[in-house]
């Protein structure tokens, strides 16, 4: 069933954010309906309510506090020095996609593009640095990850074919290495 507006976070807000706090990964699940976040620490899950902040966002349960501004954060927890944190944007985007039911997510450069498969048979392809968006509610799939899992869809603007394969891939801009390759062809 389609999610209602109420069930989805506001435009541009992710369902989760992943932070690197002095070498430790911290995942903050966005509880937007409750105006709070949930984080897992060594002593269990903490639900932190949003509180007024002079700048950025601040969440606390009276014991643990996470203050965020852009891609930076500060974590305050009992028995620990304040920890400076920085968002790991790629992991935040992947965690958000996973929580939305996306099975595969890929991206590329020149021009910037992204591809999502799932939930269900949905496929979404965004290109031109976000300017061109294509949503396919039902795609066909053939093959497997070893030989190439091929998704096909058609719309008025043309046919899309996305091939996903378990093989080494490196981002040509960041140098980041991935275990999967995604090749997208659209309208020739």
């Amino acid at each position: 069933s389609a999610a209602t507006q109420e069930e989805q976070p506001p435009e541009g807000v992710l369902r989760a954010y992943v932070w690197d706090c002095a070498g430790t990964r911290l995942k903050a699940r966005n509880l937007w309906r409750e105006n709070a976040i949930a984080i897992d620490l060594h002593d269990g899950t903490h639900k932190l309510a949003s509180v007024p902040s002079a700048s950025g966002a601040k969440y606390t349960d009276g014991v643990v506090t996470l203050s965020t501004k852009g891609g930076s954060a500060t974590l305050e927890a009992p028995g620990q020095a304040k920890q400076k944190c920085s968002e790991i944007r790629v992991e935040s985007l992947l965690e958000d996609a996973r929580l939305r039911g996306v099975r595969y997510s890929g991206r590329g450069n020149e021009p910037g593009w992204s591809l999502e498969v799932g939930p269900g048979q949905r496929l979404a392809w965004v290109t031109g640095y976000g300017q061109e968006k294509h949503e396919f509610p039902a795609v066909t799939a053939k093959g497997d990850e070893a030989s190439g899992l091929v998704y096909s869809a058609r719309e008025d603007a043309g046919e899309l074919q996305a091939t996903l394969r378990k093989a080494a891939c490196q981002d040509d801009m960041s140098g980041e290495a991935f275990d999967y390759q995604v090749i997208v062809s659209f309208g020739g």
Side-chain angles (χ1 to χ4, degrees):
S1 69
T4 65
Q5 282 296 92
E6 206 171 285
E7 294 172 328
Q8 300 202 28
E11 184 71 29
V13 175
L14 302 181
R15 285 169 172 74
Y17 293 85
V18 180
W19 301 92
D20 178 350
C21 301
T24 300
R25 292 233 183 323
L26 175 70
K27 188 186 308 177
R29 290 178 305 287
N30 189 344
L31 308 174
W32 69 92
R33 286 178 289 231
E34 301 171 49
N35 203 19
I37 62 171
I39 61 173
D40 295 324
L41 298 177
H42 67 281
D43 63 346
T45 300
H46 290 261
K47 183 177 175 182
L48 311 179
S50 177
V51 295
S53 173
S55 173
K58 186 174 182 179
Y59 304 91
T60 189
D61 64 0
V63 177
V64 174
T65 300
L66 183 69
S67 301
T68 68
K69 185 172 182 179
S72 298
T74 303
L75 176 66
E76 298 176 65
Q80 296 180 358
K82 273 188 184 182
Q83 292 184 31
K84 296 288 184 195
C85 307
S86 56
E87 184 188 5
I88 308 169
R89 190 63 178 172
V90 169
E91 289 189 28
S92 293
L93 294 169
L94 290 173
E95 183 62 16
D96 175 73
R98 187 186 69 74
L99 290 172
R100 288 185 290 112
V102 172
R103 291 189 312 279
Y104 296 107
S105 178
R107 68 180 192 278
N109 305 309
E110 306 303 331
W113 60 267
S114 66
L115 177 86
E116 291 183 346
V117 178
Q121 293 302 309
R122 172 193 165 270
L123 186 142
W125 185 54
V126 179
T127 188
Y129 303 100
Q131 299 302 307
E132 185 180 335
K133 299 178 182 187
H134 301 273
E135 183 89 22
F136 303 93
V139 295
T140 58
K142 296 185 297 191
D144 58 42
E145 291 177 9
S147 63
L149 186 54
V150 180
Y151 291 93
S152 300
R154 175 176 287 285
E155 66 172 14
D156 292 342
E159 183 176 342
L160 179 135
Q161 189 170 64
T163 304
L164 182 134
R165 173 177 300 120
K166 186 161 178 60
C169 182
Q170 186 172 7
D171 186 309
D172 60 1
M173 292 184 75
S174 71
E176 189 175 1
F178 296 91
D179 296 332
Y180 287 83
Q181 290 179 348
V182 177
I183 300 167
V184 179
S185 170
F186 181 73

